[in-house]
Amino acid sequence: MSTTILANEAASSSFPILPALVFLPMFGAAVLALIPRSRPEVSRQIAILVALATGVLSIVMLCQFRTSDDHFQFVVSQMWVSSLDIKFLMGVDGISLFLVVLTGILFPIALFAAKPDNDPKGYYAWLTLLMGGCMGAFLSLDLFLFFLMFEITLVPLYMLIGKWGHGRRVYAATKFFLYTMLGSAFMLVSIVALAVLAKAGDNGAITFDFTKIIASDNLATSTGRWLFLGMAIAFAVKVPAFPFHTWLPDAHTEAPTAGSIDLAGILLKLGTYGFLRFGLELYPEATVWFAPVMLTIGAIGIIYGGIVAAMQRNLKRLVAYSSVAHMGFAIMGLFALNMEGVQGSVLQMVNHGISTGALFILLGFLYSRRHTYEISQLKGIAKVAPVFAGIFTIVMLSSIGLPGLNGFVGEFLVLIGTYVAHRWWAVVAAAGVIIAALYLLWAYQRVFQGEPDEANASFPDLRLSERLVMVPLLVLIVFLGVYPKPVLERIEPSVRRVLTRMEAQVDGFHEPVTQGGSQLGPIVDHRESESGGSDSSNGEHALEPGAVTP
């Protein structure tokens, strides 16, 4: 299988674009660390230049990506620790493609959107290093390399919150670090145990190579479930899923604007991406077994996050709790275990990054003017800042999931996929859409409507530079809402590969589907499997396009 899914290595671009996406920001962070503190303007210029160059590379990768190919593309493989078969192994498929592009777009925008109050050199160095770590985590195909990149993201965000945040920033940063480190400990144990027990290396040796491990079938059922659970804890903390979410509101509330943008837009996706890449693909049987539990966690997160958001008096905490609800949709889509659900989940990750990232940018603009997020101290802003209010309205409606904007597409696919597979979970989750409209429209009414009081009467509208920062995000919000096909058609082949492999490896599992679109309900598949289609020990045929037609 490893040779099958990496078959495009020779056909990929000769330029090592994936290592460049990772090491260019890391090299930029090293350069920033060497610049004298007396030249803060140079630090900002270098950070923006490095982020823009990385973003351009991600767009180039997107343009060169083969739409109908379900293999990993632009693959780079270099032995690192031969005795443990640890490699610098990277590749991108339809599942990770748009998360990489989102990272390349959102980080430069975050740099343009906000400046630090102090020590710009350290601020820009940590942000640039964070970008490299996120890129590495989305591109890694070696489990040890993934863990390393996953951990690299912790320190920069801890420093950004702890030094450049607001209020109880040290408490929020410490809480974030402890939660995520605890989850990472479970993941490390699972990764090491998997590498040893899978015996997927040459001659049954240890290996951390993801492509070799998924080609093997050496784990006992109970072992796979325990290892899945260990990794699931780490990813659930990162999402964050209920009940591991309590670090998020504090981190968002006290983080600087750029930290909140990148945390909501990119870092939370490491959790849902981890579930898809290293949960569904590595442990197909355990995924099916745990699916009802994960669907329940996702549904609780949607309802709980929405209700708690509606009770918030702080606008930034409200948006933070909305992330708990929106990421609950992403979890539900993944564990619906069908094309609509998983595709919708990946699209929801991207759309949430765009919409919530845009909301935090606007909140940063608001804070720079009023130095508060308290809803009670804000009133009538639409009267004095109509452009600000208009842009906020579009982004807010996107977050609600209004048809015609990007937020609708992902949630709609998730609900369709979940309804087909598990009807009542979808019914519960649909109530979350109504709750989202309630808390966001109510907050908008209190902040933007009415007559401004004396404190808000001089609220300045957006400057030209601030409007330009919002333009790319507004374009994406409308484009993905009206015409999501280019994104979906690139995601679909890789999602099909994952689901086809699950059908091949899990006895009795068939993707929940509709019959010609005429019935919204799971159809029992009575296909015969005695011919060997679902009896493969390594699932190699499952990664060949068209191997199984659900």
Side-chain angles (χ1 to χ4, degrees):
M1 180 195 296
S2 60
T3 56
T4 301
I5 64 175
L6 300 180
N8 288 309
E9 180 176 3
S12 297
S13 171
S14 58
F15 178 75
I17 194 167
L18 301 192
L21 287 169
V22 177
F23 289 121
L24 180 57
M26 291 186 175
F27 176 76
V31 171
L32 287 166
L34 299 175
I35 291 176
R37 293 185 185 275
S38 59
R39 300 294 302 276
E41 72 284 354
V42 176
S43 298
R44 177 173 173 80
Q45 291 167 2
I46 292 176
I48 290 175
L49 180 63
V50 169
L52 285 174
T54 307
V56 169
L57 284 176
S58 70
I59 299 298
V60 171
M61 180 196 68
L62 173 63
C63 294
Q64 295 180 357
F65 188 86
R66 296 192 182 97
T67 301
S68 59
D69 196 337
D70 68 346
H71 303 87
F72 289 100
Q73 301 180 38
F74 308 100
V75 174
V76 173
S77 180
Q78 180 66 46
M79 183 60 69
W80 189 1
V81 182
S82 58
S83 60
L84 297 176
D85 197 22
I86 296 176
K87 299 186 182 77
F88 184 84
L89 178 60
M90 290 187 168
V92 63
D93 65 352
I95 292 170
S96 55
L97 174 65
F98 290 100
L99 295 173
V100 173
V101 174
L102 179 65
T103 305
I105 292 174
L106 211 52
F107 268 88
I109 291 177
L111 289 171
F112 280 112
K115 295 181 180 179
D117 295 328
N118 60 83
D119 189 15
K121 170 186 170 179
Y123 174 85
Y124 291 119
W126 286 121
L127 268 177
T128 308
L129 179 61
L130 182 62
M131 185 179 192
C134 292
M135 285 290 189
F138 289 131
L139 296 172
S140 297
L141 296 180
D142 181 277
L143 292 177
F144 181 83
L145 181 63
F146 171 77
F147 176 79
L148 180 64
M149 294 296 176
F150 192 87
E151 293 303 288
I152 284 177
T153 64
L154 301 187
V155 178
L157 192 58
Y158 169 81
M159 296 299 297
L160 287 166
I161 297 172
K163 186 170 183 178
W164 290 275
H166 314 287
R168 299 197 304 164
R169 58 183 182 271
V170 175
Y171 165 79
T174 303
K175 188 176 182 180
F176 157 75
F177 193 83
L178 291 177
Y179 267 70
T180 48
M181 278 296 293
L182 179 62
S184 297
F186 284 97
M187 180 168 66
L188 179 60
V189 172
S190 291
I191 286 175
V192 173
L194 176 63
V196 173
L197 297 175
K199 300 177 182 178
D202 298 335
N203 300 317
I206 185 174
T207 183
F208 289 85
D209 187 329
F210 169 80
T211 63
K212 290 182 179 179
I213 293 174
I214 63 174
S216 67
D217 188 24
N218 297 327
L219 292 178
T221 299
S222 59
T223 302
R225 292 175 181 177
W226 281 109
L227 296 182
F228 174 89
L229 180 61
M231 299 188 79
I233 291 173
F235 297 141
V237 170
K238 199 73 170 182
V239 169
F242 177 90
F244 305 103
H245 66 283
T246 57
W247 63 266
L248 182 67
D250 292 319
H252 268 313
T253 302
E254 311 304 346
T257 297
S260 291
I261 296 166
D262 295 329
L263 174 59
I266 307 299
L267 270 80
L268 302 188
K269 312 308 178 294
L270 291 175
T272 44
Y273 171 78
F275 271 121
L276 178 50
R277 173 71 75 225
F278 301 103
L280 273 66
E281 293 208 69
L282 284 175
Y283 310 102
E285 191 281 334
T287 297
V288 175
W289 195 78
F290 275 104
V293 176
M294 298 307 301
L295 284 164
T296 302
I297 289 174
I300 292 174
I302 292 169
I303 302 302
Y304 171 84
I307 292 174
V308 177
M311 298 178 180
Q312 297 305 306
R313 300 177 180 178
N314 182 294
L315 199 54
K316 203 174 187 187
R317 287 184 75 88
L318 183 151
V319 177
Y321 274 108
S322 77
S323 290
V324 176
H326 285 114
M327 295 308 290
F329 279 103
I331 292 175
M332 288 195 71
L334 288 179
F335 289 91
L337 302 180
N338 55 22
M339 177 59 68
E340 294 86 357
V342 180
Q343 264 194 305
S345 176
V346 177
L347 195 58
Q348 176 73 357
M349 297 180 211
V350 177
N351 288 334
H352 175 265
I354 295 169
S355 301
T356 307
L359 279 175
F360 279 117
I361 291 174
L362 292 170
L363 291 181
F365 294 159
L366 185 149
Y367 186 84
S368 68
R369 290 158 166 78
R370 290 286 288 109
H371 300 287
T372 183
Y373 295 114
E374 295 299 318
I375 295 175
S376 60
Q377 298 183 32
L378 302 167
K379 184 180 180 181
I381 292 178
K383 291 275 187 170
V384 292
V387 175
F388 181 88
I391 293 177
F392 195 98
T393 301
I394 295 172
V395 177
M396 174 194 66
L397 293 175
S398 165
S399 185
I400 290 174
L402 182 74
L405 301 178
N406 66 326
F408 171 77
V409 184
E411 290 185 3
F412 179 77
L413 286 173
V414 166
L415 289 173
I416 288 293
T418 306
Y419 188 86
V420 169
H422 303 277
R423 182 168 304 179
W424 291 110
W425 274 284
V427 172
V428 172
V433 179
I434 301 172
I435 297 174
L438 170 66
Y439 64 74
L440 283 170
L441 290 172
W442 188 29
Y444 182 86
Q445 180 186 28
R446 288 178 287 170
V447 172
F448 289 92
Q449 299 301 311
E451 292 296 327
D453 55 22
E454 183 179 352
N456 295 291
S458 59
F459 188 97
D461 211 339
L462 294 184
R463 299 185 295 271
L464 177 61
S465 59
E466 293 171 331
R467 299 181 191 187
L468 292 176
V469 165
M470 297 303 302
V471 166
L473 297 176
L474 293 175
V475 170
L476 288 172
I477 284 172
V478 175
F479 177 79
L480 293 177
V482 175
Y483 190 58
K485 180 183 176 182
V487 176
L488 292 173
E489 66 185 7
R490 286 165 174 79
I491 296 172
E492 181 177 358
S494 297
V495 172
R496 172 59 59 207
R497 183 194 75 221
V498 174
L499 295 175
T500 299
R501 180 174 181 272
M502 291 188 72
E503 287 192 322
Q505 293 224 337
V506 182
D507 292 338
F509 170 76
H510 299 292
E511 177 191 352
V513 295
T514 59
Q515 189 173 22
S518 60
Q519 298 179 12
L520 284 178
I523 304 301
V524 179
D525 196 331
H526 298 289
R527 291 173 295 177
E528 294 295 327
S529 60
E530 287 82 357
S531 60
S534 62
D535 194 36
S536 170
S537 61
N538 60 18
E540 287 187 11
H541 69 283
L543 286 126
E544 296 292 343
V548 178
T549 305

